[in-house]
């Protein structure tokens, strides 16, 4: 019984030492990489640092066709969560459409770093991103209009949103809308911008909790096209078009056996160290 008590005490001490995270130089890949192309960073490119909140790894597919992988600590994303984001943008000066997508994973482990390429691959295997065809369906929402009339913007807000500023349509340069939805609760704002940006765009972001399998969705839209392009109805249509598919079974498929084995190895090692100390002290 005494041995078990000391083992639990040692494990508790280990669990209060914070998280061990990889912090590495940004890894740039000169093309749009898939999970098969991802390699672990070189030893000299990384440090192991402690973090109080979480470890974080993110992959970005940029508009120039390249890919970046980042390793960080203390992300604002809740621990044991995945964040997926997509931006579709049109530049007023060039008239070109572009897409940026990213997937991030927030985690924590006091035994070994969890923000690894191996875990990122598990995330990628479980997520299906919107296709190019789905993204192109959004182009009608953000197509620029030379003869823009601010009266075409929807000007409404939910009862919960006290920060939504309804503008005078005469001053409007672009329509703008945002909606955040978690379970059955939504908070939204439809108004306009009085200072024009360099383009129209749609942002879609979803945060998935791996602990509860619940999702928080967020849409931002800046547009000028048909009447009420920034309406709640259109933002909900955007959510439907860009909705990602997350398969928790694929992500957790190997986690149970890996976690069990790691825990077993830790316990055996702790027992061995403790018993060896008892005999050496006699």
């Amino acid at each position: 019984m005494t041995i078990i008590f000391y083992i639990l005490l040692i494990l508790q001490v280990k669990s209060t030492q914070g998280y061990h995270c990889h912090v590495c130089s940004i890894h740039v890949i000169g093309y749009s990489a898939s999970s098969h192309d991802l390699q672990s960073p070189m030893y000299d490119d990384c440090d192991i640092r402690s973090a109080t909140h979480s470890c974080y790894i993110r992959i970005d597919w940029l508009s120039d066709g390249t890919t970046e992988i980042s390793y960080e600590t203390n992300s604002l994303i809740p621990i044991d969560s995945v964040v997926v984001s997509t931006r579709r943008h049109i530049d007023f000066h060039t008239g070109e459409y572009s897409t940026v997508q990213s997937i991030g994973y927030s985690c924590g482990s006091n035994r070994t770093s969890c923000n690894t390429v191996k875990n990122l691959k598990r995330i990628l295997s479980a997520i299906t991103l919107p296709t190019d065809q789905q993204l192109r369906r959004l182009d009608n929402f953000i197509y620029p209009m030379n003869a823009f009339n601010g009266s075409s913007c929807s000007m409404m807000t939910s009862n919960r949103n006290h920060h939504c500023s309804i503008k005078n349509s005469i001053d409007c340069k672009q329509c703008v809308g945002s909606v955040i939805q978690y379970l059955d609760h939504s908070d939204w704002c439809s108004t306009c911008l009085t200072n024009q940006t360099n383009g129209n765009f749609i942002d879609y972001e979803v945060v998935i909790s791996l602990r509860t399998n619940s999702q928080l969705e967020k849409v931002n839209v800046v547009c000028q096209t048909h009447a009420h392009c920034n309406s709640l109805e259109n933002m909900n249509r955007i959510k439907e078009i860009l909705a990602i598919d997350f398969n928790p079974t694929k992500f957790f498929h190997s986690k149970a056996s890996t976690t069990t084995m790691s825990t077993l190895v830790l316990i055996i090692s702790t027992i061995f160290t403790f018993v060896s100390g008892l005999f050496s002290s006699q």
Side-chain angles (χ1 to χ4, degrees):
M1 188 69 179
T2 303
I3 292 178
I4 295 175
F5 170 78
Y6 277 107
I7 291 172
L8 293 175
L9 179 62
I10 292 171
L11 292 177
Q12 179 62 28
V13 170
K14 286 180 176 289
S15 69
T16 58
Q17 291 177 342
Y19 301 123
H20 299 157
C21 308
H22 284 300
V23 177
C24 313
S25 302
I26 294 177
H27 182 204
V28 179
I29 303 173
Y31 53 89
S32 183
S34 68
S35 61
H36 302 291
D37 303 314
L38 305 185
Q39 302 290 332
S40 297
M42 301 297 291
Y43 178 81
D44 292 341
D45 294 333
C46 298
D47 294 323
I48 301 296
R49 298 182 188 175
S50 60
T52 56
H53 177 61
S54 65
C55 306
Y56 190 63
I57 184 170
R58 190 182 75 247
I59 181 169
D60 296 285
W61 293 276
L62 304 179
S63 59
D64 63 0
T66 62
T67 308
E68 292 185 353
I69 303 176
S70 307
Y71 304 78
E72 305 167 14
T73 61
N74 297 324
S75 163
L76 297 177
I77 306 302
I79 195 168
D80 291 334
S81 295
V82 176
V83 58
V84 185
S85 64
T86 297
R87 167 173 279 210
R88 184 69 169 169
H89 177 271
I90 183 169
D91 189 289
F92 285 155
H93 302 296
T94 64
E96 294 182 355
Y97 290 93
S98 61
T99 302
V100 175
Q101 293 180 299
S102 69
I103 296 177
Y105 173 48
S106 174
C107 59
S109 172
N110 48 30
R111 295 190 298 272
T112 183
S113 299
C114 60
N115 58 334
T116 62
V117 166
K118 180 179 179 180
N119 281 334
L120 180 60
K121 286 183 175 182
R122 290 172 57 210
I123 294 291
L124 296 180
S125 71
I127 289 178
T128 302
L129 291 170
T131 64
D132 290 339
Q133 183 179 5
Q134 288 172 288
L135 292 169
R136 285 193 292 269
R137 289 176 59 188
L138 301 174
D139 293 348
N140 288 335
F141 282 102
I142 58 176
Y143 188 80
M145 297 287 287
N146 292 328
F148 173 72
N149 190 330
S151 63
S152 65
C153 297
S154 179
M155 298 285 187
M156 298 183 70
T157 181
S158 60
N159 293 331
R160 297 186 187 89
N161 196 325
H162 304 294
H163 304 287
C164 184
S165 176
I166 304 300
K167 309 288 177 54
N168 188 325
S169 62
I170 298 176
D171 300 322
C172 293
K173 304 299 182 183
Q174 292 167 286
C175 306
V176 60
S178 64
V179 58
I180 299 175
Q181 181 158 353
Y182 178 70
L183 299 177
D184 295 329
H185 306 285
S186 63
D187 186 11
W188 53 276
C189 172
S190 296
T191 181
C192 75
L193 299 177
T194 54
N195 294 313
Q196 191 174 49
T197 66
N198 65 351
N200 295 328
F201 63 85
I202 289 172
D203 281 336
Y204 173 74
E205 182 177 281
V206 56
V207 180
I208 306 166
S209 170
L210 299 176
R211 295 180 178 180
T212 63
N213 200 28
S214 58
Q215 297 187 5
L216 182 148
E217 292 180 287
K218 182 178 180 180
V219 171
N220 290 321
V221 58
V222 174
C223 56
Q224 296 174 305
T225 55
H226 52 80
H228 308 299
C229 62
N230 63 329
S231 67
L232 179 61
E233 179 183 4
N234 279 331
M235 288 189 285
N236 285 333
R237 287 178 60 197
I238 291 169
K239 282 196 302 179
E240 292 176 2
I241 293 172
L242 293 182
I244 62 102
D245 179 40
F246 176 70
N247 187 332
T249 302
K250 288 185 177 180
F251 175 74
F252 290 110
H253 178 69
S254 62
K255 184 176 182 180
S257 58
T258 302
T259 303
T260 302
M261 183 58 67
S262 300
T263 304
L264 183 60
V265 170
L266 176 63
I267 292 175
I268 292 174
S269 174
T270 305
I271 292 174
F272 180 80
T273 304
F274 180 79
V275 172
S276 300
L278 287 179
F279 281 107
S280 63
S281 61
Q282 292 181 354

